[in-house]
């Protein structure tokens, strides 16, 4: 691999799985202000940041560099043209821990081969105002018309984690020899392993201060999930979903239920609370990790694709230009919620 990561052990503390309790929108008392940090983003997908500068992947194959309110759409030269399948394109994106020196980042994208879509995880390198694909970490991951997964995050152990969807082929989620329907871990030497399985379309990852991992997952016609992830566990899809239980399969920490759809995407941890972007639910969800209680922290801005926290403030990007929303003037936008 082109770089080395720190070694360590991911702590996956266990807790009882519970059904989410839906509540009214969160109280505004502690909020100070909602600021627009950037406008005119082009179907943004992942928020990442270095030294106060944001880098946001855009599905059409660009990285939006946001500095002091100015937006520069930097092109990414990839080895294969992006797929035009629904929900495909340049998806997950996260800067390497040593980005300031190496100018490297990690990207997840969908491309076409012999008429079929596939996913690829690569290293990309910044060259002034453009990026290029520099190395391949994982390739040939079958995809489909939907359910690409696509989230990339650096874990507290320094390894790279990726969420991979079932590619609209549910049986793959229970096949240990397939990358589909899994959360995977790529170590410092570039070796990939299945970290957890039985996922439908996971699109968010976050860790608390102790190293416990959480993931968001799209259900089938509602029953969206927030899961506490432990290494080697099976999260049930397609054998169970929502509040269903079966021996050896993990029930979710929180679930939207049969009458509500969140379509959750990116996640962030901030001061003891989980936050998840909600596309169909058009909100930033606030999740109490101890009780599974879910409330709508922020709403009224349309489809939300990703959330990010610098430890103090909370940031989110809208996704109203993705073909399923109703874009307003200046959409899509990066917002900051100051607490």
């Amino acid at each position: 691999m082109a770089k080395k990561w720190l070694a360590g052990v991911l702590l996956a503390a266990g807790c009882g799985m519970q059904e989410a309790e839906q509540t009214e929108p969160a109280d505004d008392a502690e909020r100070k202000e909602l600021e627009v940090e950037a406008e005119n983003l082009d179907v943004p997908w992942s928020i990442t940041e270095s030294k106060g500068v944001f880098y946001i992947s855009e599905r059409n194959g660009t990285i939006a560099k946001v500095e002091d309110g100015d937006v520069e759409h930097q092109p990414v030269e990839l080895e294969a043209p992006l797929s035009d399948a629904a929900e495909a394109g340049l998806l997950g994106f996260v800067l390497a821990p040593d980005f300031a020196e190496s100018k490297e980042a990690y990207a997840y994208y969908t491309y076409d081969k012999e008429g079929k879509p596939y996913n690829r995880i690569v290293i990309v390198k910044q060259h002034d105002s453009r990026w290029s694909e520099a190395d391949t970490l994982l390739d040939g991951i079958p995809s489909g018309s939907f359910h690409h997964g696509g989230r990339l995050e650096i874990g507290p152990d320094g390894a790279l984690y990726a969420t991979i969807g079932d590619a609209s082929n549910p049986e793959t989620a229970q096949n240990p020899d397939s990358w589909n329907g899994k959360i995977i871990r790529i170590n410092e030497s570039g070796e990939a392993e299945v970290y957890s399985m039985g996922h439908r379309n996971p699109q968010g990852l976050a860790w608390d201060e102790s190293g416990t991992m959480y993931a968001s997952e799209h259900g089938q016609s509602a029953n969206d999930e927030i899961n506490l992830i432990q290494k080697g566990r099976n999260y049930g899809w397609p054998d169970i979903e929502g509040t269903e239980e079966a021996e050896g399969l993990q029930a979710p920490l929180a679930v939207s239920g049969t009458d509500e759809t969140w379509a959750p995407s990116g996640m962030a941890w901030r001061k003891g609370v989980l936050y998840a972007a909600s596309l169909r639910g058009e909100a930033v969800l606030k999740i109490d990790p101890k009780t599974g209680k879910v409330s709508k922290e922020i709403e009224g801005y349309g489809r939300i694709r990703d959330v990010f926290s610098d430890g103090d403030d909370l940031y989110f990007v809208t996704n109203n230009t993705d073909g399923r929303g109703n874009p307003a003037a200046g959409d899509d936008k990066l917002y900051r919620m100051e607490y």
Side-chain angles (χ1 to χ4, degrees), residues 40-249:
N40 297 309
L41 302 176
D42 189 358
V43 196
W45 218 89
S46 290
I47 307 169
T48 188
E49 176 265 344
S50 176
K51 297 183 177 180
V53 179
F54 287 88
Y55 296 90
I56 303 170
S57 62
E58 299 177 303
R59 262 179 46 196
N60 70 347
T62 52
I63 302 298
K65 178 184 177 182
V66 178
E67 186 172 14
D68 298 327
D70 294 327
V71 180
E72 180 184 13
H73 301 273
Q74 300 182 337
V76 184
E77 299 170 5
L78 299 170
E79 294 298 320
L82 292 173
S83 171
D84 59 3
E87 302 177 2
L90 179 59
L91 306 177
F93 182 78
V94 63
L95 301 177
D98 65 350
F99 170 74
E101 295 77 31
S102 70
K103 299 301 179 184
E104 290 182 345
Y106 306 96
Y108 184 118
Y109 72 93
T110 309
Y111 66 98
D112 290 323
K113 180 181 179 181
E114 298 177 351
K116 296 181 180 180
Y118 291 85
N119 295 314
R120 174 184 284 171
I121 300 172
V122 300
I123 296 175
V124 294
K125 192 175 182 71
Q126 186 186 43
H127 311 274
D128 296 323
S129 295
R130 64 180 181 86
W131 299 75
S132 65
E133 185 172 332
D135 200 359
T136 302
L137 299 180
L138 199 63
D139 197 3
I141 306 167
S143 198
S145 300
F146 304 96
H147 304 180
H148 311 293
R151 188 64 55 188
L152 294 180
E153 297 289 353
I154 303 294
D157 60 350
L160 179 68
Y161 289 80
T163 68
I164 302 176
D166 69 2
S168 302
N169 184 2
E171 289 73 20
T172 64
Q174 291 297 323
N175 180 356
D177 296 324
S178 169
W179 295 121
N180 293 103
K182 313 295 191 301
I183 295 173
I184 67 165
R185 177 184 184 272
I186 303 176
N187 68 17
E188 60 179 291
S189 63
E191 297 173 343
E193 63 173 340
V194 171
Y195 196 81
S196 63
M197 62 187 296
H199 300 288
R200 183 174 182 268
N201 189 22
Q203 287 194 0
L205 290 174
W207 289 262
D208 67 15
E209 294 91 346
S210 71
T212 300
M213 180 196 289
Y214 300 88
S216 66
E217 182 169 336
H218 290 214
Q220 182 179 27
S221 300
N223 280 321
D224 298 316
E225 298 179 357
I226 305 297
N227 285 294
L228 185 154
I229 302 297
Q230 294 179 285
K231 184 176 182 180
R233 298 294 179 90
N234 187 330
Y235 290 81
W237 175 255
D239 297 334
I240 62 169
E241 63 174 331
T243 58
E244 295 175 345
E245 296 182 358
E247 185 176 355
L249 304 180

